[in-house]
Amino acid sequence: MYEVIVGYIVGSIAAIVLFRHVVREHIVKATLDTLIDEEYVRAYEDDDGITQLYTWREAVDLDVWESLEKAVEEMGSEKKIKEMIQQMEQELEDEKEDDTP
């Protein structure tokens, strides 16, 4: 009698573990396929037939990345932000003064 109960419990645990493994693998594969299809992640097959993944940051030249970082730093400075706000306010005032259709 005890053997049947132990067999049932062990079989149930094995089935749950196997099911979780298969489901997780399927979810990860489906998610990666979707990310590749939507071009959030880039992929290529190397000489050995293994799919290699890389993000857009790795695909950008170092010079381009450095210029992008400089632009972000400039945008973060208070002086630059104030200048941009003043410029936008000036453009709004110019639009109000010009009533031509």
Side-chain angles (χ1 to χ4, degrees), residues 16-91:
I16 290 171
V17 169
L18 182 63
F19 179 74
R20 287 183 67 195
H21 175 71
V22 169
V23 168
R24 281 186 182 170
E25 186 175 305
H26 176 70
I27 289 172
V28 168
K29 185 177 182 321
T31 302
L32 281 175
D33 288 343
T34 303
L35 289 172
I36 291 169
D37 291 342
E38 295 293 326
E39 295 185 359
Y40 288 108
V41 175
R42 308 278 179 163
Y44 67 94
E45 232 176 84
D46 63 3
D47 297 334
D48 298 330
I50 299 172
T51 302
Q52 300 290 333
L53 303 175
Y54 62 96
T55 60
W56 67 272
R57 182 177 180 175
E58 294 171 353
V60 174
D61 265 354
L62 186 58
D63 297 333
V64 173
W65 186 252
E66 287 175 356
S67 64
L68 181 62
E69 284 180 341
K70 283 182 185 178
V72 169
E73 286 176 8
E74 285 180 9
M75 293 300 295
S77 69
E78 280 188 45
K79 183 177 180 183
K80 187 70 173 177
I81 291 173
K82 287 179 183 177
E83 288 175 6
M84 288 177 60
I85 291 173
Q86 288 175 353
Q87 183 181 8
M88 287 190 291
E89 288 174 349
Q90 184 65 34
E91 288 175 3

